[in-house]
Amino acid sequence: MSDKRVTVRRAVAADEAALLDLELTAWDATSGFPSLTAGDRTTFFAERWGPEAFIVAELDGRVVGYLRLQEKYPFPEGAGVLSINGLAVAVDARGQGVGSVLMEAASAEAKRRGARKIALHVHGVNTVARRLYERHGYVVEGTHPREFLIDGQYVDSLDLALFL
């Protein structure tokens, strides 16, 4: 057993290369959209989500995960509802608590912001992620059967939420 510790922090612009590498290697057809990780992407951050939208996980000083947490709605009536728009953990860092540390950091940040709810979407076939979310108190709010066609298979999309 090692003494490895997972730490979290806000992303910074200098994380872009590590986060792009993670983005291109962590997702598969059960967790993401192959079309979004194909091709010759050279940037990770975008106009709508710069470093301030990301919580980064490090294991022994190496970036091994991220979580994007943003306001779900751009209008006042939706204030207080945040959305997790992506959580990725490096393949070689899975099973070491990285996802749980990121989920705890998201809840702490949401509470700090005065949010009342965190929402997310997950592929129905992504049982590992679903178990992680459920362990952290998320409940299914809705199911969208056959929402996506990925690698020739229909995939349900589930809406989950945590009420703070």
Side-chain angles (χ1 to χ4, degrees):
M1 190 79 180
S2 73
D3 292 321
K4 291 182 179 181
R5 280 201 44 235
V6 179
T7 58
V8 293
R9 62 173 172 79
R10 273 267 175 247
V12 295
D15 292 323
E16 184 155 42
L19 289 170
L20 179 61
D21 182 60
L22 181 60
E23 175 87 349
L24 297 178
T25 57
W27 300 99
D28 63 26
T30 66
S31 60
F33 301 102
S35 65
L36 298 180
T37 55
D40 298 325
R41 282 186 55 194
T42 58
T43 60
F44 177 80
F45 298 120
E47 185 177 331
R48 291 186 355 221
W49 54 79
E52 69 284 349
F54 292 87
I55 299 169
V56 170
E58 291 182 326
L59 187 61
D60 292 340
R62 180 174 72 101
V63 172
V64 293
Y66 74 79
L67 182 145
R68 181 163 45 117
L69 183 67
Q70 296 176 281
E71 296 288 335
K72 185 171 182 182
Y73 301 106
F75 43 84
E77 293 83 357
V81 180
L82 301 181
S83 183
I84 293 176
N85 297 315
L87 184 157
V89 175
V91 174
D92 66 348
R94 292 179 183 170
Q96 300 182 59
V98 176
S100 282
V101 170
L102 285 167
M103 294 301 292
E104 290 164 9
S107 292
E109 174 64 12
K111 289 174 185 171
R112 186 190 70 74
R113 292 190 201 178
R116 59 186 153 84
K117 179 180 179 180
I118 305 173
L120 61 83
H121 302 286
V122 64
H123 290 348
V125 294
N126 192 347
T127 55
V128 172
R130 289 174 59 187
R131 282 195 306 266
L132 171 69
Y133 302 144
E134 289 166 2
R135 276 197 316 270
H136 287 272
Y138 285 72
V139 296
V140 174
E141 287 192 305
T143 301
H144 305 274
R146 298 172 48 129
E147 187 78 354
F148 305 111
L149 181 61
I150 301 175
D151 288 348
Q153 299 294 315
Y154 286 108
V155 176
D156 296 349
S157 177
L158 305 179
D159 296 331
L160 276 70
L162 174 69
F163 294 88
L164 302 170

